[in-house]
Amino acid sequence: MMMGKGKWTALMWIAIAELFALSLWFSASVTGAELRELWNLTVLTEAWLSASVPAGFIIGTLISVSFGIADRFNARRVFALSALAGALINGLLIVADSAMIGIALRIMTGVTLAGVYPTAVKLLSQWFPSKRGLALGILIAALTLGSSLPHFISLLFSSVDWKLVIVVSSLLALAAAGIMNWVVKDAPTSPQKTIFSFKLIKQVLLNKPVMLANYGYFGHMWELYAMWTWLPVFFAASFASSSSQISPEIISLASFVSIGIAGAIGCVLGGMAADSLGRSRLTILSLLVSGSCSIIIGFTFGQAFWLTLLVAVIWGMFVISDSAQFSAAVTEFAETPYLGTALTFQMCIGFLVTIFSINLIPVVQNLIGWEWVFILLSIGPALGIVSMVKFSLYETGERSEK
């Protein structure tokens, strides 16, 4: 009974720490207008400012797993130190005076976040050795809310200096470090260690159901972070072209609701639905709806505020609702000796894909406009659906065997 109560308490604090720490991810993106002028950003450097965190995250993940940091050291301490380092590095943005320095700092921030998100998943697996679908959904919800939190911070401090957004997000990351270090307790049991090895990647590539789940995840990631990055800019451009008088505060609120609130709800509902519908069905449904929204939202450009927001909220719910299930699918079909390699491979390639889609959006937008550019993101869900339909055959076979 105490274990049951303790794990939900641990989940609550881990989720809060995750929410606070992930506010670092888009802390610079929401101040893009100010940084564009301060650092003389071009279309290319602005895109790289947004893509630099995923790039750093990939680097940090590979370093972490190659040296087995999460296995060799206490996971809570790794999270706390990573959040502390991220807070300090993010804070240096207020004194950065060029795009190159800013991008370098954002890459380093991404490196520190590699010690936050994967480590939180590991901590969760320690507290929930089984039936962790809902718990994982709650954790991803916290990640989603945290990623969108700078939009809310910007809403609160939009009439003040942009540096306050950076400072507040850094203070939240410091709070996350404190929560993880002094409030969260170690789980009574630890899971079996999983390792990463380049020598084992061949085994991952030869495992067909694992690779089908990976392809689904890559399609999902092609859409997710590009949507999170550029939807607020789309809002600003759309509302500016309409007859509606929409303030920057409303744009920040719309972004927070569409990405954060709607996304968090989608994560929890997706985690609950996956256990009853099956992982493949849930991912196919999510990819279908989110991909459709990426096509439809362009037709709302310059139209009524409520119509654009409605499509964005639906998109925000479904674009993230399946995120946790791709990793869960890998854990079900990868053999234990290369499970860690399989999960790391999925995460690294997935975030590598986001760098391409994030950078591609502004380039294509200059050519075809905001009305059509998000159609580019529907390619990912379309390919993901094909993969998960094929994956469902393996999932059905596994259930029949049981």
Side-chain angles (χ1 to χ4, degrees):
M1 182 64 70
M2 290 300 294
M3 170 61 180
K5 181 180 178 181
K7 68 179 183 181
W8 292 106
T9 301
L11 171 61
M12 178 188 72
W13 286 114
I14 292 171
I16 291 173
E18 184 82 353
L19 188 155
F20 287 173
L22 263 292
S23 66
L24 298 177
W25 196 287
F26 286 110
S27 60
S29 300
V30 300
T31 59
E34 293 84 355
L35 295 180
R36 190 182 304 115
E37 181 179 347
L38 180 66
W39 293 345
N40 297 315
L41 294 177
T42 64
V43 172
L44 182 60
T45 53
E46 185 176 5
W48 268 107
L49 183 63
S50 298
S52 54
V53 174
F57 185 87
I58 295 169
I59 296 170
T61 301
L62 287 174
I63 292 173
S64 176
V65 298
S66 296
F67 289 95
I69 292 175
D71 285 330
R72 294 173 61 189
F73 303 99
N74 182 282
R76 289 191 304 105
R77 306 294 186 191
V78 172
F79 187 116
L81 289 174
S82 298
L84 174 61
L88 296 176
I89 293 169
N90 186 68
L92 291 176
L93 283 173
I94 64 177
V95 296
D97 57 2
S98 71
M100 293 304 296
I101 293 176
I103 290 172
L105 288 172
R106 297 303 288 160
I107 291 174
M108 293 170 65
T109 301
V111 172
T112 66
L113 289 175
V116 170
Y117 171 44
T119 307
V121 174
K122 180 181 178 66
L123 286 167
L124 191 69
S125 68
Q126 293 175 347
W127 278 102
F128 290 81
S130 62
K131 297 182 179 180
R132 61 179 73 122
L134 177 58
L136 193 56
I138 292 173
L139 181 67
I140 302 300
L143 179 150
T144 305
L145 273 174
S147 298
S148 66
L149 198 56
H151 294 291
F152 185 70
I153 299 171
S154 178
L155 173 65
L156 295 178
F157 298 107
S158 59
S159 60
V160 199
D161 195 326
W162 66 271
K163 294 179 180 179
L164 276 175
V165 177
I166 303 298
V167 171
V168 172
S169 59
S170 292
L171 290 175
L172 287 172
L174 281 176
I179 289 171
M180 195 58 67
N181 191 58
W182 290 301
V183 179
V184 176
K185 306 298 182 183
D186 288 321
T189 58
S190 298
Q192 184 175 0
K193 292 184 178 181
T194 57
I195 64 169
F196 171 81
S197 170
F198 287 106
K199 296 179 181 179
L200 294 176
I201 288 180
K202 182 179 179 181
Q203 300 299 318
V204 177
L205 297 176
L206 293 175
N207 189 319
K208 193 166 184 179
V210 166
M211 288 307 301
L212 288 172
N214 283 340
Y215 297 144
Y217 181 72
F218 302 157
H220 157 77
M221 291 295 281
W222 172 266
E223 178 189 26
L224 177 62
Y225 276 84
M227 180 271 198
W228 279 2
T229 300
W230 296 110
L231 181 64
V233 185
F234 173 85
F235 277 152
S238 176
F239 301 152
S241 69
S242 69
S243 57
S244 305
Q245 297 296 320
I246 305 298
S247 67
E249 291 81 6
I250 296 298
I251 294 174
S252 294
L253 181 60
S255 301
F256 180 65
V257 170
S258 303
I259 298 172
I261 302 298
I265 294 172
C267 288
V268 176
L269 294 179
M272 296 171 63
D275 292 333
S276 56
L277 291 178
R279 304 198 193 286
S280 57
R281 289 181 181 176
L282 185 278
T283 55
I284 290 169
L285 174 63
S286 297
L287 290 167
L288 178 62
V289 176
S290 66
S292 298
C293 287
S294 69
I295 297 171
I296 295 170
I297 198 164
F299 293 101
T300 74
F301 185 85
Q303 303 301 315
F305 169 79
W306 68 267
L307 181 61
T308 305
L309 183 59
L310 175 63
V311 177
V313 166
I314 297 173
W315 194 9
M317 285 185 64
F318 283 91
V319 76
I320 188 67
S321 60
D322 54 348
S323 190
Q325 305 312 315
F326 297 106
S327 297
V330 167
T331 64
E332 293 174 347
F333 285 93
E335 300 294 333
T336 299
Y338 60 88
L339 177 58
T341 302
L343 291 171
T344 304
F345 175 82
Q346 184 191 70
M347 187 174 294
C348 287
I349 300 299
F351 277 91
L352 180 63
V353 166
T354 69
I355 296 175
F356 290 101
S357 59
I358 288 172
N359 280 283
L360 198 57
I361 288 293
V363 175
V364 177
Q365 186 274 326
N366 283 333
L367 299 175
I368 63 178
W370 284 112
E371 296 88 341
W372 306 104
V373 68
F374 282 138
I375 292 178
L376 182 69
L377 298 185
S378 67
I379 297 173
L383 296 176
I385 289 172
V386 173
S387 296
M388 296 312 292
V389 167
K390 294 179 179 179
F391 173 84
S392 67
L393 300 177
Y394 290 92
E395 186 179 46
T396 301
E398 184 184 74
R399 286 184 175 179
S400 64
E401 289 178 4
K402 291 180 178 180

